[in-house]
């Protein structure tokens, strides 16, 4: 299925949106790394920590799959996805 030009226009992001999305990815990277390191809210249950890591890994994977990135460095995001997939609370 190919997208119409109208659909492509709806799906394209502005430079500001790309920057905002990249910042959001950084927040997910930080959260994943903090939970794995044990630096997150101690009131979170193991299940909550596991779910939070899984949701943030999913978010990063969706964002990294976008094809309109420029020179943004995805090294930290890739590392967080790998670490998150290996995490067991």
């Amino acid at each position: 299925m190919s997208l119409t030009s109208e659909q492509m226009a709806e799906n394209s992001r502005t430079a500001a949106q790309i920057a905002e999305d990249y910042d959001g990815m950084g927040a997910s990277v930080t959260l994943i790394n903090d939970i794995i390191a044990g630096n997150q809210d101690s009131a979170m249950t193991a299940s909550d920590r596991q779910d939070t890591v899984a949701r943030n890994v999913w978010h990063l994977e969706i964002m990294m799959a976008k094809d309109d990135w420029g020179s943004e460095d995805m090294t930290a995001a890739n590392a967080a996805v790998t670490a998150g997939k290996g995490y067991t609370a």
Side-chain angles (χ1 to χ4, degrees):
M1 178 181 149
S2 60
L3 295 175
T4 66
S5 58
E6 184 176 296
Q7 289 170 318
M8 288 179 6
E10 289 174 7
N11 290 327
S12 62
R13 300 180 293 168
T14 65
Q17 289 168 323
I18 290 171
E20 185 176 322
D21 287 345
Y22 189 69
D23 286 345
M25 289 174 66
S28 286
V29 167
T30 298
L31 184 57
I32 291 167
N33 291 336
D34 280 351
I35 288 174
I36 291 172
N39 298 331
Q40 205 53 6
D41 184 356
S42 62
M44 289 179 81
T45 66
S47 178
D48 289 340
R49 290 189 305 273
Q50 191 74 50
D51 289 345
T52 299
V53 168
R55 279 192 314 275
N56 281 273
V57 164
W58 178 70
H59 171 250
L60 289 174
E61 290 178 322
I62 289 171
M63 296 308 294
M64 288 189 302
K66 294 186 178 287
D67 62 2
D68 60 352
W69 293 109
S71 61
E72 293 83 6
D73 184 358
M74 298 294 172
T75 304
N78 282 312
V81 166
T82 299
K85 285 184 173 184
Y87 175 70
T88 304

